[in-house]
Amino acid sequence: MLQETWNTFPRQIVQKINGLLDQAQPNRLKAFHLYKMCKTENLWDKSFSEFSFLLEDFYHTHPAERSKSQMDQFLNRPMDWRSFETVNLTFRTAEIHFSEIRDIASWAHHMLRLHYEKTSPVSTVETLSKTIYDLTHPGMGEKEQNIDFEDFCDAWKKAADKLYGKKFEAEHQQIILELRNLNQILESRALELPRHMLNRIYLTQTEIDWVERSLEAVMAGLSMPKYPLSKGPTKPRLIDLLKWLTLWEISKDVKAPAVQAKVEKLRGHIQNECDDLLATCRR
């Protein structure tokens, strides 16, 4: 069991870091920004402290389950979609507590100590805490969400260099090399998974409703439904689906036999994609 856990260390450390956003609250600056926006748009007429309680309840919900209707029920009137898009948190706008960072650092330190049977200065809880803190408190121009394993390795090296200079560089490079090899194995195995497992994504209820309406429109030969958010989809599979739907929309009424054959092929492709999204998405 311990070896299995070690073999997935690169995946787990990244999941734990990104997972800090799942139940994070907005930092005070972000909370005040949302409060001022709602006040300006006449969505809220009470105090900031009362608004803070609203936000606390909202952000206790998993990001994949946060809905506009959930926010609307607390406000004076429904929020428009453009405004709702601003509620998403990144590491720049979330409040990440140091105790949560240290918990992850302690877990990582424990795994490294057990595997190497000694404690290297670059693997101490303090070094790993600084690494994770830097990732979750990005500076201007630095990545603020979707941390990957290379991001972790880069931040870890910078943290160790700041604390120890080049004193333990060779030892640190050896550890990182082994972990990168583990990560490469994990990524290779992921590519061998069936497509429906590899491409599973979270879909919000709004996105699910749009996919369902799109499927119904294509099957009935009706006009494609407008995407509910003004800026359009942000998830790659939904972006591709919108492109295919747009192509189908402009060509579905063309009577030329050669075009109609392509339209039917496109219809089948869209149907398969919608069916797969609805069957395999995580909600």
Side-chain angles (χ1 to χ4, degrees), residues 101-115:
I101 291 173
R102 194 170 180 85
D103 284 346
I104 298 175
S106 296
W107 171 84
H109 164 73
H110 179 67
M111 294 303 303
L112 290 163
R113 181 177 58 81
L114 288 178
H115 182 74

Side-chain angles (χ1 to χ4, degrees), residues 48-175:
F48 176 65
S49 61
E50 291 175 287
F51 187 76
S52 298
F53 286 116
L54 180 160
L55 292 181
E56 184 175 354
D57 286 342
F58 179 79
Y59 286 104
H60 272 151
T61 309
H62 191 281
E65 299 172 358
R66 292 172 192 161
S67 65
K68 191 174 88 67
S69 61
Q70 182 184 358
M71 179 68 78
D72 289 344
Q73 66 180 325
F74 293 107
L75 301 173
N76 296 337
R77 59 185 178 83
M79 174 185 282
D80 66 42
W81 282 104
R82 186 183 298 274
S83 297
F84 182 68
E85 290 169 11
T86 67
V87 307
N88 291 327
L89 297 181
T90 68
F91 285 121
R92 198 179 306 284
T93 57
E95 180 178 308
I96 306 297
H97 296 290
F98 189 74
S99 60
E100 299 173 308
I101 291 173
R102 194 170 180 85
D103 284 346
I104 298 175
S106 296
W107 171 84
H109 164 73
H110 179 67
M111 294 303 303
L112 290 163
R113 181 177 58 81
L114 288 178
H115 182 74
Y116 291 105
E117 298 182 351
K118 64 177 182 177
T119 299
S120 167
V122 300
S123 303
T124 62
V125 174
E126 288 69 26
T127 306
L128 291 165
S129 292
K130 177 168 177 51
T131 301
I132 299 168
Y133 182 90
D134 290 344
L135 286 169
T136 56
H137 295 76
M140 292 301 296
E142 295 182 343
K143 197 171 183 180
E144 58 186 50
Q145 59 186 339
N146 299 324
I147 303 301
D148 59 34
F149 188 65
E150 280 305 309
D151 297 325
F152 170 76
C153 290
D154 291 343
W156 192 12
K157 184 178 186 309
K158 290 177 182 177
D161 287 347
K162 287 179 181 178
L163 292 171
Y164 311 110
K166 302 297 182 181
K167 186 175 181 180
F168 305 103
E169 183 177 24
E171 180 180 357
H172 196 190
Q173 285 181 339
Q174 186 175 358
I175 295 172

Side-chain angles (χ1 to χ4, degrees), residues 177-194:
L177 177 62
E178 180 176 354
L179 290 173
R180 279 179 169 149
N181 288 336
L182 283 179
N183 190 53
Q184 187 173 13
I185 292 172
L186 291 171
E187 290 179 345
S188 298
R189 288 176 180 171
L191 293 175
E192 297 171 0
L193 292 173

